[in-house]
Amino acid sequence: MKADATTDPELACPISPVVDIVFSRWTTPILWSLHTFGRQRFVELERRVTGITPKVLTQRLRQLERDGLVVRTYHPEVPPRVEYEISELGRSLAPLFAHLTEWATANLGHVERAREEYDAAGSPR
Amino acid sequence: MKADATTDPELACPISPVVDIVFSRWTTPILWSLHTFGRQRFVELERRVTGITPKVLTQRLRQLERDGLVVRTYHPEVPPRVEYEISELGRSLAPLFAHLTEWATANLGHVERAREEYDAAGSPR
DNA sequence: CCGTATCCAAATCGATACTG
DNA sequence: CAGTATCGATTTGGATACGG
């Protein structure tokens, strides 16, 4: 079960709830794939989100669907066809993701260099 | 060990690397506390970030220090005194966090309602 | 005060196999 | 195709106790 900011003091940080929803494992690659390549079937996502297993993909898709970020459409054909697409609500994350990408472009190098320095310092006193 | 976008295709999503750095467990409450209440000592953080154990707090602080988001200052006194503060780089996340908070304010309710609907639908066919 | 060490519980993941 | 079931491996976290 997930904690929530109002009941759990450990999350007395206004953004923790969002983080749980938007940045839990595998969600960003999935949302990004849906956002970038549009509506997709299960196998397409499976191929695109490299390394994910069908089990985990299902779990994450269900969670995203439950949170209203993704819409699942089932076509009762033979063979069955299911399509996933980003919802309106999911699309509203786009500027946020863009912002994140900007920060990455500008600062990921700094993080890299900070790590090198830190590691180079060894375990000094 | 952490994967990285250039070596690991599963992260062929431009924002995954940032997520690993900025949104891994406990980091947002810690950064938020440092950002909001300023420079703090270990115990203050321990109290503020409710529920965290010293072990985990140390782990996360080391990681943040290594990534250059937090600065640790050791004062060799008796008793020893250590202070943590957000770095320049860490501060550069502020607009991003603000953006996140905005999204939360505007849309967290939608997520809540989506969940209720989803759960209300039960496991229907 | 500021951590570290140790041990154990729990959550998550991954691999594999199988169904409607 | 679109998943589910099962199981074991791995990672992560918490509790506790102790040290410089």
Side-chain angles (χ1 to χ4, degrees), chain B residues 25-26 51 53-56 59-60 80:
Chain B
R25 195 118 204 264
W26 294 109
T53 60
K55 175 183 132 186
V56 176
Q59 288 176 352
R60 297 281 84 111

Side-chain angles (χ1 to χ4, degrees), chain A residues 25-26 53 55-56 59-60 80:
Chain A
R25 194 119 204 265
W26 294 110
T53 61
K55 175 184 130 186
V56 176
Q59 288 175 353
R60 297 280 86 112

Side-chain angles (χ1 to χ4, degrees), chain B residues 15-42:
Chain B
I15 71 179
S16 287
V18 204
V19 172
D20 283 343
I21 294 166
V22 180
F23 300 107
S24 51
R25 195 118 204 264
W26 294 109
T27 56
T28 41
I30 293 172
L31 285 177
W32 182 79
S33 178
L34 288 174
H35 177 263
T36 311
F37 303 106
R39 184 184 321 161
Q40 283 165 77
R41 307 178 61 168
F42 189 86

